[in-house]
Amino acid sequence: MSTDPSNELAIHEEIDLYVWEGTSDIASRAERCLSGYDVSVIRADAGLTFPPPREAARPAVALVSVTVMNDARFSGYDWLATQGIPAIWVASEERNRDPRYYPPAYSYTLPLSFTGAALRALLFRLAGIAHAAERAAARAPRPLVAVSESMRALLAEAQTFADCRASVLIHGETGVGKERVARLLHDHAAWSAGPFVAVNCGAIPEGLFEAHFFGHAKGAFTGAVGAHKGYFEQANGGTLFLDEIGDLPLYQQVKLLRVLEQNTVTRLGSTAEVNVDFRLVAATNKNLQGLVAQDAFRADLYYRLAVIELYVPNLEARGPAEKAAIFKALLERYLPGDTVEVPDWLVDRVARTRYPGNVRELSNLVERVGIIRRQFRVWDRERIERVFERLGQGPGAGHGVGDGAGSAAGSIARREAGVDQQAPVAPRAPFTPAEQAERARVVAALEANGWRRQDTANMLGISRKVLWEKMRKFQLAEGQGELADGAVEAP
């Protein structure tokens, strides 16, 4: 392996370089410049609609040609922002940093005629920055809010079993915070310094289970330019959290059970067995015993998972005080440095509202209210009330606000405020977690700007056309919408 004086990180750690090259030929050049270094060049736009899952324990950097910026097929902005990966933009001429996409400290450029030395120096420096940030974040896990007796009992039980190596099965409705409980188990274990790898079993693409879980050797298939560890290896020495385990097909359950029994994996394209040692924590919102009775879930895997069982209560069962406490805690993180006290009317409104989506829905509410507070610097009661009214019009309509808001009264309020009279249509199929987060961000920005599209696009730092495409994608643009100047725009 070669060494590079620009940064010793290259000697000790592997780096993932995700490349979107568009119409420029930068992926092959990057491979040549980084030949001999522990860098996996991943062609993120080589026929993929989204990048492959990245190994959280490894530093990663993106190399993006500006030729993809206006390409509708480029879906990397949100993914990069979500992953916290610094981006190097490659352009034929010098460009200023664009704060619309990344904070200034994480936005860098290279000329199209970049040299190998320049690429390596910037890559290793950014990888070091990103990795240091990840480790700092890992050292400061967010505490769980536990005001109710039921949650305090749950956390006490989780801490009791944290150091036990036996598998844990966490039960609870969607959005109650099952992953947070799994993280607590990991953080209080003797192996807390090891990795915590979270996987949503319902989001594994058909036919890619082996590649994601077992990893692959270099050259195992087209595009496999380097070896890649699967989830089992990534979790070695730590905790593997499998969310929505009930969505795992039967043929994949067999393979998972074999790994749990043998503690070895074999990467695709390789014959060498690799020993793995991790604590398995699984979670489900389904009745696994019922699925076992229907032959939809393997009984032997169920008994292997359910050695220790924890039950997370839904938000309604935790009571109004805990709703208010969670809201305040989330709002403090969303508005750091804002010392203005949350008004009593808002705390009371939060406490008496029902959230079918549990903490996840409450978190969405926090973001929407937080945007209003941040943009207008006041607790705009009229706008915030409209946010609560709309809670009853999305997924789970009819269960949102206890006083029935979101029906005819909500429509009248929206007409008086000059916003769209057509309520957003609930999604016809579940969105992925990343899409749900993006949809919530767009809705919150629309709410903050009275559903005026140009103002919303300006706030999000995107064009009006891109906003319109996002609204169509998330089914937020049905019928006609009113523009800022009072004109009417048809879809």
Side-chain angles (χ1 to χ4, degrees):
M1 185 193 317
S2 302
T3 61
D4 189 319
S6 61
N7 195 308
E8 293 183 355
L9 180 69
I11 304 174
H12 305 293
E13 302 201 49
E14 297 175 314
I15 302 172
D16 288 334
L17 180 65
Y18 292 88
V19 181
W20 281 269
E21 65 176 4
T23 58
S24 62
D25 182 22
I26 59 175
S28 297
R29 290 174 56 202
E31 290 174 356
R32 291 194 299 270
C33 293
L34 299 169
S35 177
Y37 295 85
D38 278 345
V39 178
S40 294
V41 177
I42 303 168
R43 296 172 182 254
D45 60 352
L48 299 175
T49 57
F50 54 87
R54 85 177 186 92
E55 187 174 330
R58 282 165 53 158
V61 176
L63 187 68
V64 188
S65 167
V66 297
T67 61
V68 304
M69 293 180 70
N70 296 320
D71 189 337
R73 295 170 300 176
F74 177 58
S75 58
Y77 293 134
D78 297 335
W79 186 83
L80 289 171
T82 300
Q83 298 291 328
I85 297 177
I88 302 172
W89 293 88
V90 179
S92 58
E93 58 184 11
E94 184 176 350
R95 293 177 180 241
N96 295 325
R97 296 174 181 174
D98 193 335
R100 292 179 303 170
Y101 304 121
Y102 306 102
Y106 269 28
S107 186
Y108 303 87
T109 61
L110 280 177
L112 187 58
S113 58
F114 64 82
T115 64
L119 173 62
R120 289 191 295 270
L122 189 52
L123 169 64
F124 295 147
R125 180 160 64 90
L126 292 181
I129 292 173
H131 199 47
E134 288 174 356
R135 286 179 173 172
R139 286 194 296 268
R142 291 182 300 166
L144 273 165
V145 176
V147 175
S148 64
E149 183 178 345
S150 60
M151 276 302 291
R152 288 184 177 182
L154 168 66
L155 299 190
E157 189 174 11
Q159 292 176 6
T160 299
F161 293 111
D163 259 340
C164 179
R165 299 291 297 186
S167 299
V168 179
L169 181 60
I170 303 174
H171 301 269
E173 296 178 7
T174 297
V176 294
K178 297 187 289 293
E179 183 172 345
R180 296 294 307 283
V181 175
R183 184 78 208 204
L184 182 144
L185 287 166
H186 174 79
D187 290 339
H188 286 78
W191 52 92
S192 60
F196 177 85
V197 179
V199 181
N200 187 332
C201 295
I204 303 298
E206 183 69 25
L208 294 181
F209 174 84
E210 289 82 1
H212 285 200
F213 278 84
F214 291 86
H216 59 76
K218 182 177 181 179
F221 50 82
T222 302
V225 296
H228 184 76
K229 294 180 182 178
Y231 296 137
F232 294 129
E233 284 189 77
Q234 293 176 33
N236 190 39
T239 300
L240 176 61
F241 173 61
L242 299 182
D243 197 10
E244 307 301 347
I245 189 70
D247 292 337
L248 205 63
L250 284 169
Y251 75 94
Q252 295 176 358
Q253 295 176 25
V254 176
K255 297 174 182 178
L256 171 60
L257 183 62
R258 185 176 297 118
V259 172
L260 296 179
E261 291 175 343
Q262 299 178 356
N263 295 320
T264 60
V265 297
T266 303
R267 295 182 185 180
L268 291 179
S270 174
T271 58
E273 290 188 343
V274 179
N275 293 324
V276 291
D277 180 24
F278 54 82
R279 201 266 187 90
L280 180 66
V281 179
T284 182
N285 61 357
K286 297 181 177 180
N287 180 356
L288 290 191
Q289 288 183 316
L291 294 179
V292 169
Q294 300 169 19
D295 293 327
F297 198 89
R298 293 183 62 94
D300 46 5
L301 178 58
Y302 170 76
Y303 295 127
R304 188 66 186 251
L305 296 174
V307 179
I308 299 170
E309 294 185 89
L310 299 176
Y311 297 83
V312 185
N314 62 31
L315 198 53
E316 199 61 29
R318 301 183 205 179
E322 186 145 316
K323 294 179 189 177
I326 294 174
F327 176 82
K328 290 180 178 179
L330 292 173
L331 196 61
E332 286 176 3
R333 283 194 288 269
Y334 190 82
L335 298 172
D338 192 327
T339 59
V340 179
E341 187 175 351
V342 182
D344 291 340
W345 64 264
L346 178 53
V347 175
D348 178 68
R349 191 77 157 96
V350 170
R352 61 187 176 86
T353 298
R354 296 186 62 235
Y355 306 92
N358 292 294
V359 179
R360 186 172 297 147
E361 183 175 354
L362 182 56
S363 179
N364 168 266
L365 172 70
V366 167
E367 185 173 5
R368 296 163 76 174
V369 171
I371 287 178
I372 294 174
R373 166 66 191 173
R374 187 175 58 196
Q375 295 301 121
F376 297 97
R377 305 308 305 164
V378 294
W379 300 105
D380 190 318
R381 187 164 186 170
E382 182 180 356
R383 284 188 169 88
I384 293 175
E385 284 291 348
R386 289 204 299 267
V387 172
F388 279 96
E389 290 167 3
R390 285 185 178 273
L391 285 180
Q393 298 179 14
H399 305 283
V401 180
D403 58 4
S407 55
S411 299
I412 295 172
R414 283 193 301 281
R415 284 197 296 270
E416 292 175 347
V419 299
D420 285 356
Q421 298 180 19
Q422 178 69 37
V425 177
R428 288 168 295 182
F431 292 120
T432 65
E435 289 174 332
Q436 290 174 359
E438 173 65 6
R439 186 178 191 272
R441 187 168 71 93
V442 172
V443 170
L446 286 165
E447 290 283 359
N449 290 281
W451 287 72
R452 294 183 296 273
R453 290 172 188 160
Q454 187 59 59
D455 292 343
T456 301
N458 293 339
M459 174 186 289
L460 294 173
I462 59 179
S463 68
R464 186 187 182 87
K465 178 182 178 183
V466 171
L467 173 63
W468 175 245
E469 291 173 349
K470 287 181 180 291
M471 293 175 69
R472 287 179 63 86
K473 173 182 177 182
F474 296 130
Q475 299 178 327
L476 298 173
E478 299 290 333
Q480 295 180 332
E482 188 175 84
L483 307 181
D485 57 6
V488 172
E489 176 187 37

